Amino acid sequence: MAAPATPEQATLLEHIFEIRTRIIRALVAFAAASAVCYLRAADLFNLLSAPAEGRLVFTHPVDGMMAYIKLSLMAGLLISSPYLFYQAFGFFKPALG
């Protein structure tokens, strides 16, 4: 079995496989964080809408559900962002030093 190539000697396919792996890991982390946030979306929504004192108006039938989904996605992005940055840094680290 041959020794793995150093980052300077990595082929294009090795780079593509590494970025694919890192993107998949990042998407799984984002999806998991968003799913957990969706389970607590009502609490998050109540916390963020407290200054409005219950005077929120939804003009379309699905606006309430979309507000929960968007809130869950944004909170999931916020929670998973350290791991997302870690994955991005891990990919660029060999090129930096």
Side-chain angles (χ1 to χ4, degrees), residues 7 23 33 35-37 39 43 54-55 57 59 66 77-78 92 95:
I23 288 173
V36 169
C37 289
L39 295 175
D43 296 333
R55 293 179 287 179
V57 177
T59 58
M66 289 303 296
L77 182 64
L78 182 69
F92 291 117

Side-chain angles (χ1 to χ4, degrees), residues 38-76:
Y38 186 73
L39 295 175
R40 304 297 297 197
D43 296 333
L44 289 170
F45 190 79
N46 289 336
L47 177 71
L48 293 175
S49 65
E53 297 174 356
R55 293 179 287 179
L56 296 177
V57 177
F58 298 115
T59 58
H60 292 91
V62 295
D63 279 351
M65 181 183 71
M66 289 303 296
Y68 278 14
I69 291 172
K70 288 179 184 179
L71 178 62
S72 300
L73 291 174
M74 294 304 288

